[in-house]
Amino acid sequence: MKRTIPLAIVLTMGITMMVQFFVPHPVSVGYYDLTTRWIRIVGAFALVLGTGSFIMFHSDKVRRRRQGWYYSIISLVALVVTTVIGLGWGIRPGSILQNVIYANFLVPLNASMFAILAFYMASAAYRAFRARTKEAALLLIAAFIVMLGMVPIGASIWGKLPELAEWVLSVPNMAAKRAIIFGVALGGIATSLKVILGIERGWLGGGKQ
Amino acid sequence: MHVSTDILTWVAVVLTVGIFSFLWKDNPFYKFCEHLFVGISLGYFISLTWYNAVYPDLFRPLFVQPLSEVSLGNKLLFIIPLLLGLCYFCRFIPRVSWLVRFPMAFVLGWGAGVTIPAVLQTSIIRQMQGTFLTPGIFARWDVFLWAIISFVGVVCSVLYFFFSREHKGALKVASETGIVFLMVGFGASFGYTVMARMSLLIGRFQFLLRDWLGLIQ
Amino acid sequence: MKFFDALQRIDRRIIYIVMGLLVIFPLVKPLGLGVSSGPRARTLFDAVDSIPAGRTLLISVDFDPSSMPELYPMLAALMRHAFARDVKVLLCGLWVTGAGLADKAVTEIPPEYGKKYGDDVVYLGWKAGIDAVILGMGENIKNVFPTDYYGHPLDSLRMMNEVVRLRDIPMAVAISAGTPGYTDWLNFAQSRYGLRLGAGVTAVSAADAYPYLQTGQLTGLLAGMKGGAEYEVLVQKKDYSRAYMPAVAAMDSQSLAHVVIMLLVIVGNIAYFATRKRGA
């Protein structure tokens, strides 16, 4: 029961949702509409998994005084304070959540976290990007054409550079990316079918239950 | 130069510097900012999930709206997703943790079912249509030439990923041609990645120079 | 040869400082390189320009602050373009941490054109369940979003009386930083409901969008901050806006940063091959 019923649910939902795509009958549309509403509600509850794991991980770290446990207190306090402010004062325009926490804490932290990648890219470009083979040289040339052609200085150096960059993107790049799309799509469809048919059962978790 | 006097702008600046300090080396200031970010993000997520999803989609119709607005039958229909959603909490109760499989099965089955026809149409059928050589390509010499190159590129790149046969003879030629296209594709992606990363850095500098220091208008 | 050895061992922090200074310099003292618009941005601009006044443009805000410098200028320019032409704007989002950015745009931009919330612009907010959200909007937007982001029932917003489902929307633009993003709109909104879709993407994922442009699934593309700058220029050229253009202002820095990266690759390779030759 613990494994069979979930597998039966997956099979039923998978097959019916595939079939309803091709059947525009009112019953099919009604079923589709109802399950679509349900899935949004169930999907929102999935947050419980993430939040629970987060609290368990950090509280365990604090309890056992593991290395850097005091940073976990910061995470837990930030979580509680943000949640209390968010749920207590709401998300309307001018709210503390939006005007203070989001605009002046979340935005700079998140944006800066990704901004520092530019420096690592510069360092990696200097140390690791070597034209050791013909293929690497080709990659390098294509990268240079796009890098220059897609910014204003490219047109100042040679007027045709933006057109060349656009050609690289529209013809050889497009062909390569389309081949990758085929691979990814076929892989995705195969995995979905394996899940529906119960061949892929990793999501059930380990153990004999 | 007009340095901002807004305390919140200064907070944002301090946090920005805290994250940037990692460039020098890992340090407590950075770690503080990092952990603060994780906690705030999750708190924000919870608040929005309540106000944008759980309250309007479930709590309000089930518990707040009167029967004159939502019929009893419709209210009962909300019980099923509520029970499925509550099963997620069982993940943390060892004796009944297996119940978490029910909502997961529902979500996975539904997702797999709707994804297959959609992906088939968007990423297989339409992409194959775009690859075929049609009469329209004969309109101009350059259109014709680029269409032929694209067609060869797609076929050869796909063949490069065909590992069921040893790459010998014609297949070797095709897969080697495929590598050329793939390398140009990866190069284009790399060029664009440089652009992306630099843009993010510029964005942060614009904040520091404009909003904080008032050096640029 | 000692010179090349020294080049190989240069401290990463020196590279960081050079990089940082060269990015900052053009922000303070612009080089005046100018920005011209490419064909992909023009296609999107023309498509938005052809939406009849009074109809609705849907913008999906599928990004968060991590890609704000690249994508927020696109969102602002698109909204200004729409409002200048009396096109209504409906916003929604698939990224929870992007909700605040859409809220910022809805609060700041409509007043520039005297547009009123509920009549000319509505922000639906964020919902869990990506594909379920898009598919649900195809059938009935009110079923997915009974209330907007701020908690107003959709029935109380006049604009929403004319927009019931995705088929009532002549065009949508997905501004995406990854997944979920424009591919989900293609998969579920276009394949099932025939929604005409344009895209604004981070530069990282721009090269991946070209197969969808070639098939016509995407109507125009804005790639990264440069894409945002191109759209800002197009909007200003037609005198639709005189607002500050953050992406255009960043383009000199962007150009210089690219040159620096290329020089770093070239110098790194010269030093590598010079020392390798000696070793061989």
Side-chain angles (χ1 to χ4, degrees), chain A residues 130-143:
Chain A
R130 303 281 183 255
R132 287 195 186 95
T133 61
K134 277 183 290 183
E135 288 82 9
L138 198 59
L139 193 150
L140 197 69
I141 293 165

Side-chain angles (χ1 to χ4, degrees), chain B residues 192, chain C residues 67 70-71 74 173-178 181-183 198-210 218 221-228:
Chain B
Y192 257 139
Chain C
S67 45
E70 282 191 277
L71 301 179
M74 294 177 193
V173 180
I175 307 180
S176 332
Y182 75 91
T183 47
V201 297
T202 51
V204 169
S205 51
D208 301 338
Y210 275 75
L218 283 180
L221 176 79
L222 302 179
M225 203 187 226
K226 171 72 184 336

Side-chain angles (χ1 to χ4, degrees), chain B residues 1 9 21-22 26 36 57 66 71 96-97 100 135 145 158-159 168 170 182 184 209 214:
Chain B
M1 186 164 152
T9 304
S21 69
F22 187 73
D26 199 359
L36 187 68
D57 291 349
S71 68
V96 287
S97 65
V100 77
L145 189 60
V158 168
L159 285 174
K168 285 193 305 192
L182 286 165
V184 174
L209 297 172

